[in-house]
Amino acid sequence: MMSEQLKFIVEQLNKEPFRKNFNLVMFDSLEPMQLLQIFNDVLAEIDPKQSIDIREEMPEQTVKRMTLLLGMLKYKPPDNMADVKTFQQGLVTGSKSVIHPILHWLLQRVPDLKKRAYLARFLVKLEVPAEFLHDDIISDTYNQYEELVESFKMYHKQCEQLRTSGFSTAEIRRDISAMEEEKDQLIKRVERLKKRVESVSNHQRMLEQARQLRVEKEREESLAHQKQQQKNQLFQAEQRVLRSHQQLKDMRQSAADANPESLTRRLEEEIKINSYMVSEKLPKELESLRRTVQYLQKVAAEPAMGQSNIRELEDRIKDVDSQINLLIEKKMLRNDPIDDKLTLYRQQASIISRKKEAKAEELQEAREALATAEREMKQRHSQSSQGEEVVRGDELKRLVAKLRSKGTAYKKRRQELSELKAEYGVLQRTEEILRQKHEAVQEKLQAVEVEKGISGYSSTQEELERVSAIKTELDEKKGRTLDDMSEMVKQLNSSIVEKKSALAPIIKELRSLRQRREELSQEYSEKKAQYESCAAGLESNRSQLEQEVKALKEEMAQKENQYHYINSMFEIIKMQMQQAAEEMKAYVSSDPQEKKKTIRELYMKNIAEQESLGKKLREEQKTVRENHSANMEQMKLWQDLEQLMECKKRCFIKAQNQAAVGHDIQDEAKDMLVL
């Protein structure tokens, strides 16, 4: 085991991308630090963040980093390394018993682990304490983080699907180049058609008429489609009415045929079947599935096995098989048919249990088929309600007749099944009663034999006679059941032949209809291809003309904007020229009143006023600058005087308070002297 493991590790380390050039002796004689560095190099190949020199890192940090990555990669230590401290100590010291199994496990699945390490950087969620999530900002940020993780999952899944979808960039490029060539050809064809049309007189009027014709054809198609939809809706409504009438008729027939005894019998049969499914069949299946899952989990939890382990297990299996064969031979030699009194009953019980399981499986298959048929029926109803093609006319009548015949056959088979189930219940109850009686008789017989001292000896002949009688009786029953079954098989074969003969003309007619349908579908596909090619040409012509019209409209709007802008500028310039002419006329006039009304005079007057105002302000500024120091000193003196007066005021108030207190004390002293 260990030699196979070391051999595999050395082979993988000598390959790309490690290229260590080791042999078994060199690798086994490595120092602990060298072995730990090689282990870290393998981890760095899986996750590039682990590319660190072990000598430059503290041992605690190294162990923490490696255990965190191994836990993220879902590595499970062997059973002898289940203790966490032992495992971490082995990592720190570079123990071969710890590192060799990890290297063997890692080198077996490097590509998968690379992918898992890449995804873990984005999918391993950060753990935020619950008390911090009460903060709104932290909670919103964490919600955004979870949304980004989910979006990463979705995008990664889409990326994997695209990688495995089989799309080829070369094929896409070829398709694009072919489409571009087709586009160029269409453009050239359109240009040729435009030149040909422009030479025709009244081509604009003809284009307009063609456009109107296309609009009317589209309208005609839409009206025809609406008419077909309304016809389909009417037909569906009629079918719903027919189905409702049929359901009402079936319900009336079932209500007329139903009586309390039949309903009770049917419910008892269903209860027995369901109780058997719930109490016996389904628990067995569930237990078998659980055992399978446990076995698979056990297999998955075990480490990878080498060739020597497989050979060892094969040898053990051979030994166990030989022991089983020996035990079976001993049992067959020791088994005496006279002593085994319950063999016949066991065989009958096993046969009945097998029949029961077979019937239960058939019932389950029938229920699944019924559920599948109901889903198909619902799907067909939904498709018919969505306006898809539905069956009509003579074909519908044939289908209805066929369904009725199948319904009667189904009812007959269901009745036979119910009879078989009732017979099965009776046989089961008979078996149980016989078993109870046999056990009671056996107990009494054993008690009598124990009292007489001849246990197991006296009733040999009686037992043989009884067994022979039971055997003859069972043979007779078996013969009768075989005759009944052969008669039933004959009846079923005859009914099948009758059904086949009845269905033969319908199948023949259906074949001709299928052939006709194939011809019509082929003709439809050809007509559709012609229509699509013609529609594509007309659509391309229409789109080109619409683009030209759109460009001309945009150009017209631009010209209109330019026209309005030029008109506005012309009006503004005209007003400015008129103002300039009036100004010139007033300025040249000899009347002094007219000159005073000119804009030049007004502006000169405003300029003079502003200059005089500026002169006054400069003089005031000069005066303020000259008296600034004196004024500041005067202001300081006033502030000092204000502080002095405030101080005197406080002193005066304090003196008044003290005088009032002295007067009070003197009054109290006088009062005391008087007393």
Side-chain angles (χ1 to χ4, degrees), residues 3-15 18-28 30 100 103-104 107:
S3 61
E4 294 291 335
Q5 191 180 77
L6 287 176
K7 186 177 179 181
F8 177 77
I9 293 170
V10 171
E11 287 178 357
Q12 295 299 320
L13 290 176
N14 290 335
K15 294 179 182 179
F18 304 107
R19 285 195 238 168
K20 297 294 182 180
N21 295 325
F22 285 143
N23 55 29
L24 291 174
V25 178
M26 289 175 61
F27 182 75
D28 194 40
L30 288 174
H100 284 177
L103 283 174
H104 185 261
L107 292 172

Side-chain angles (χ1 to χ4, degrees), residues 609-634:
E609 289 177 356
Q610 294 297 324
E611 287 179 353
S612 62
L613 181 60
K615 187 176 180 182
K616 288 180 182 180
L617 292 173
R618 283 193 294 273
E619 290 176 356
E620 289 180 1
Q621 183 181 11
K622 183 178 179 183
T623 305
V624 169
R625 285 179 179 174
E626 290 175 354
N627 298 326
H628 177 68
S629 58
N631 290 333
M632 291 297 292
E633 187 177 357
Q634 185 69 27

Side-chain angles (χ1 to χ4, degrees), residues 474-508:
L474 288 173
D475 290 336
E476 291 176 359
K477 288 184 178 180
K478 190 184 294 183
R480 288 197 299 271
T481 54
L482 288 173
D483 293 335
D484 295 337
M485 290 176 68
S486 62
E487 185 67 25
M488 188 183 296
V489 168
K490 289 179 181 179
Q491 291 178 0
L492 290 174
N493 289 328
S494 62
S495 63
I496 290 168
V497 170
E498 290 176 0
K499 297 297 180 183
K500 285 183 178 179
S501 61
L503 290 173
I506 299 174
I507 292 171
K508 186 177 180 181

Side-chain angles (χ1 to χ4, degrees), residues 374-627:
E374 288 179 352
R375 285 197 299 271
E376 290 179 356
M377 185 176 67
K378 289 180 181 178
Q379 186 177 3
R380 288 181 180 178
H381 284 318
S382 63
Q383 289 177 357
S384 63
S385 62
Q386 291 175 2
E388 296 185 0
E389 184 180 359
V390 293
V391 184
R392 62 184 64 191
D394 298 334
E395 188 176 357
L396 178 63
K397 292 179 181 178
R398 286 194 298 272
L399 287 174
V400 170
K402 186 177 179 181
L403 288 173
R404 285 178 180 173
S405 62
K406 286 186 176 181
T408 55
Y410 168 73
K411 290 179 181 178
K412 187 184 294 183
R413 298 292 183 272
R414 186 173 180 181
Q415 187 177 0
E416 292 176 359
L417 182 61
S418 63
E419 291 175 357
L420 290 173
K421 289 175 183 176
E423 185 179 357
Y424 164 72
V426 172
L427 290 173
Q428 189 176 8
R429 180 60 180 166
T430 305
E431 178 193 3
E432 186 177 356
I433 293 169
L434 290 173
R435 188 182 293 113
Q436 291 175 359
K437 289 181 178 180
H438 177 72
E439 291 175 356
V441 171
Q442 285 293 109
E443 290 177 358
K444 290 180 181 180
L445 183 60
Q446 289 176 2
V448 171
E449 288 177 353
V450 169
E451 289 178 359
K452 300 297 182 179
I454 53 172
S455 60
Y457 177 76
S458 61
S459 61
T460 304
Q461 187 65 31
E462 294 177 358
E463 192 67 30
L464 286 172
E465 291 176 358
R466 190 169 62 85
V467 169
S468 62
I470 292 171
K471 184 176 182 300
T472 55
E473 186 178 356
L474 288 173
D475 290 336
E476 291 176 359
K477 288 184 178 180
K478 190 184 294 183
R480 288 197 299 271
T481 54
L482 288 173
D483 293 335
D484 295 337
M485 290 176 68
S486 62
E487 185 67 25
M488 188 183 296
V489 168
K490 289 179 181 179
Q491 291 178 0
L492 290 174
N493 289 328
S494 62
S495 63
I496 290 168
V497 170
E498 290 176 0
K499 297 297 180 183
K500 285 183 178 179
S501 61
L503 290 173
I506 299 174
I507 292 171
K508 186 177 180 181
E509 187 176 359
L510 182 62
R511 288 174 182 172
S512 62
L513 290 173
R514 283 179 179 172
Q515 186 176 2
R516 177 61 179 167
R517 176 181 172 277
E518 290 177 357
E519 294 175 357
L520 291 174
S521 61
Q522 186 176 2
E523 185 179 358
Y524 168 74
S525 60
E526 292 176 357
K527 297 294 184 182
K528 186 178 180 181
Q530 294 177 2
Y531 167 75
E532 288 178 351
S533 62
C534 181
L538 294 174
E539 185 67 23
S540 61
N541 189 9
R542 183 180 68 84
S543 61
Q544 185 70 25
L545 293 174
E546 286 180 353
Q547 289 178 0
E548 290 180 0
V549 171
K550 186 177 179 181
L552 291 173
K553 285 183 179 179
E554 291 177 355
E555 185 179 0
M556 184 182 70
Q558 187 177 2
K559 295 295 184 182
E560 286 181 356
N561 292 332
Q562 189 176 1
Y563 169 73
H564 291 302
Y565 175 74
I566 292 171
N567 281 337
S568 300
M569 293 300 294
F570 176 73
E571 293 293 334
I572 292 169
I573 293 170
K574 187 176 179 182
M575 293 296 295
Q576 290 178 355
M577 290 179 66
Q578 186 177 357
Q579 288 179 358
E582 291 178 356
E583 182 71 18
M584 183 62 71
K585 182 179 178 182
Y587 184 74
V588 175
S589 178
S590 58
D591 190 1
Q593 296 295 330
E594 290 290 336
K595 286 185 177 182
K596 290 181 180 180
K597 293 180 181 179
T598 59
I599 297 174
R600 183 173 181 278
E601 291 294 332
L602 292 174
Y603 284 161
M604 291 298 292
K605 185 178 179 181
N606 288 332
I607 290 168
E609 289 177 356
Q610 294 297 324
E611 287 179 353
S612 62
L613 181 60
K615 187 176 180 182
K616 288 180 182 180
L617 292 173
R618 283 193 294 273
E619 290 176 356
E620 289 180 1
Q621 183 181 11
K622 183 178 179 183
T623 305
V624 169
R625 285 179 179 174
E626 290 175 354
N627 298 326

Side-chain angles (χ1 to χ4, degrees), residues 227-237 387-388 392:
K227 182 179 178 182
Q228 186 64 32
Q229 285 182 349
Q230 290 177 359
K231 285 183 178 179
N232 292 334
Q233 290 175 1
L234 178 62
F235 180 74
Q236 292 164 13
E388 296 185 0
R392 62 184 64 191

